């Protein structure tokens, strides 16, 4: 897979998992090949499956608004998904499907080489931080395998629950500052930062203070 166009061609005729059977159009992902920001969602929904483009339904409209709130258009970033074909009835993608599809996303990340990856929702969060809850992980930039990851809630969560909206809007507003403060990726946790004051010490710190008191 030499370039993004080739990935899209392969995705469009991929039959490596059963999601290929129900799709109208595969959704390889789209945006700038030089994007500093890469967004990773879950998988295509009804509208995406019709058009072959990511985030073009109601959640996508909200994502466009969020991008505009920080002075960006979707052409400035790259938008991809964990699975490239729509799960029937929008069910969760299965581990086997995500694993069959990961080769495409992995190569997209390599080729785009974004400064910051923004995971949308729990499935793309789990790709980098398996087992972590979105409630705890969201709004904090952290390094994983030499890349900076900033997890936020899925924009669709705001459409279901109004109280999620301001959480997403606020996490999104931090993105320019997060980008500006990024150092070189390394494995030093001292580079960590958070978009809001931490209300409680990290579990590790808590444990240490138990021992020292
Ligand atoms: N939700 C997603 O996770 N991805 C899309 O492309 C659209 C909606
Ligand atoms: Fe292939 Fe991914 Fe579509 Fe499955 S979801 S058929 S692995 S492109």
């Amino acid at each position: 897979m030499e370039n993004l166009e080739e990935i899209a061609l392969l995705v469009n005729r991929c039959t490596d998992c059963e999601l290929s059977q129900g799709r109208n159009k595969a959704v390889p992902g789209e945006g700038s090949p030089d994007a500093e920001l890469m967004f990773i969602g879950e998988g295509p929904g009804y509208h995406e499956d019709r058009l072959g483009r990511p985030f073009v339904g109601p959640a996508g409209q909200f994502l466009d608004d969020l991008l505009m709130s920080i002075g960006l258009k979707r052409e400035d970033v790259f938008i991809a998904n964990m699975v490239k074909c729509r799960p029937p009835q929008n069910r969760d993608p299965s581990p086997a499907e995500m694993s069959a599809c990961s080769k495409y996303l992995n190569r997209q990340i390599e080729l785009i080489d974004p400064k910051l990856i923004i995971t949308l929702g729990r499935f793309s969060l789990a790709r980098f931080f398996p087992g972590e809850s979105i409630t705890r992980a969201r709004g904090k930039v952290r390094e994983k395998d030499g890349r900076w990851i900033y997890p936020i809630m899925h924009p669709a969560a705001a459409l279901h629950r109004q109280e999620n909206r301001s959480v997403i809007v606020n996490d999104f507003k931090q993105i320019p500052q997060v980008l500006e403060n990024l150092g070189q990726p390394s494995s030093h946790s001292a580079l960590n930062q958070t978009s809001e004051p931490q209300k409680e010490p990290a579990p590790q710190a808590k444990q240490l203070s138990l021992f020292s008191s």
Side-chain angles (χ1 to χ4, degrees), residues 163-178:
E163 61 262 42
N164 290 332
R165 194 179 175 92
S166 57
V167 176
I168 299 180
V169 167
N170 282 324
D171 285 347
F172 220 91
K173 278 202 196 122
Q174 309 302 322
I175 291 173
Q177 194 64 48
V178 167

Side-chain angles (χ1 to χ4, degrees), residues 41-45 48 54-55 81 154:
E42 180 178 325
E48 292 75 22
F55 283 94
N81 278 305
H154 196 288

Side-chain angles (χ1 to χ4, degrees), residues 90-160:
N90 297 344
R91 67 156 167 75
D92 291 348
S94 73
E97 289 154 359
M98 288 189 283
S99 144
C101 211
S102 63
K103 53 188 177 280
Y104 302 121
L105 180 62
N106 291 344
R107 189 68 181 127
Q108 285 172 323
I109 295 173
E110 259 176 33
L111 286 168
I112 294 160
D113 193 20
K115 272 197 186 154
L116 181 64
I117 291 177
I118 298 165
T119 59
L120 305 172
R122 59 197 170 97
F123 290 97
S124 48
L125 168 66
R127 182 193 181 281
F128 297 98
F129 303 109
E132 286 197 22
S133 93
I134 184 87
T135 342
R136 289 183 68 96
R138 52 142 282 274
K140 299 176 187 118
V141 64
R142 271 183 301 163
E143 191 196 329
K144 184 65 190 284
D145 300 334
R147 298 207 173 269
W148 290 112
I149 317 294
Y150 184 67
I152 66 176
M153 273 182 180
H154 196 288
L159 306 177
H160 308 138

Side-chain angles (χ1 to χ4, degrees), residues 76-92:
D76 301 323
V77 303
F78 197 91
I79 306 176
N81 278 305
M82 291 295 290
V83 293
K84 314 297 194 190
C85 303
R86 183 191 183 202
Q89 279 85 48
N90 297 344
R91 67 156 167 75
D92 291 348

